Amino acid sequence: MTADELHVVVEPTDDGVVVIRVRGTLDGWSGRSELVEALEDAAGSGGRLTVADLSGLLFADSTGLHALLNAQQSHAETGVPLVLAGPLATGVRRLFEVSGTSGAFTFAETVDAALAC
């Protein structure tokens, strides 16, 4: 795997939390299907919380943002909270700010902080 390839690891916990660790780049070229599938599975799992660990995300564009917005909607529909955990890379944080979508998500500074949500 090169540093900019999208890599997704799903880590379910014993207490009903699904942590999805996202590494690399999330854009139209990287293929987002692995992340979309992981987020959809987590939303439908009946768990108590999904944490998307974006601390290893180097870059995201509107394709990635769209995947996260869809995941937020599906999580809301199933009643499973979705928290995006950082720390976020400057470009990733800026994507949420510039697009005006920061308010659509719950953010946490770290995965540990997200687990306390």
Side-chain angles (χ1 to χ4, degrees):
M1 177 179 97
T2 63
D4 61 346
E5 283 183 80
L6 182 64
H7 185 66
V8 177
V9 175
V10 178
E11 300 173 359
T13 67
D14 293 334
D15 62 347
V17 176
V18 176
V19 178
I20 301 172
R21 300 193 189 273
V22 185
R23 304 287 180 262
T25 60
L26 181 56
D27 58 22
W29 300 103
S30 64
R32 62 186 181 107
S33 60
E34 188 178 2
L35 176 60
V36 169
E37 183 178 324
L39 289 165
E40 286 176 1
D41 289 349
S45 72
R48 71 172 184 88
L49 175 67
T50 300
V51 176
D53 174 9
L54 305 183
S55 64
L57 191 60
L58 304 172
F59 174 80
D61 68 3
S62 61
T63 302
L65 179 60
H66 185 72
L68 293 169
L69 285 167
N70 284 340
Q72 176 60 34
Q73 181 177 355
S74 63
H75 276 75
E77 290 170 359
T78 60
V80 178
L82 172 63
V83 178
L84 306 184
L88 300 178
T90 302
V92 175
R93 183 177 62 248
R94 192 128 166 79
L95 175 64
F96 293 109
E97 293 168 356
V98 169
S99 65
T101 58
S102 293
F105 298 98
T106 300
F107 291 93
E109 290 296 318
T110 65
V111 170
D112 288 340
L115 294 174
C117 289

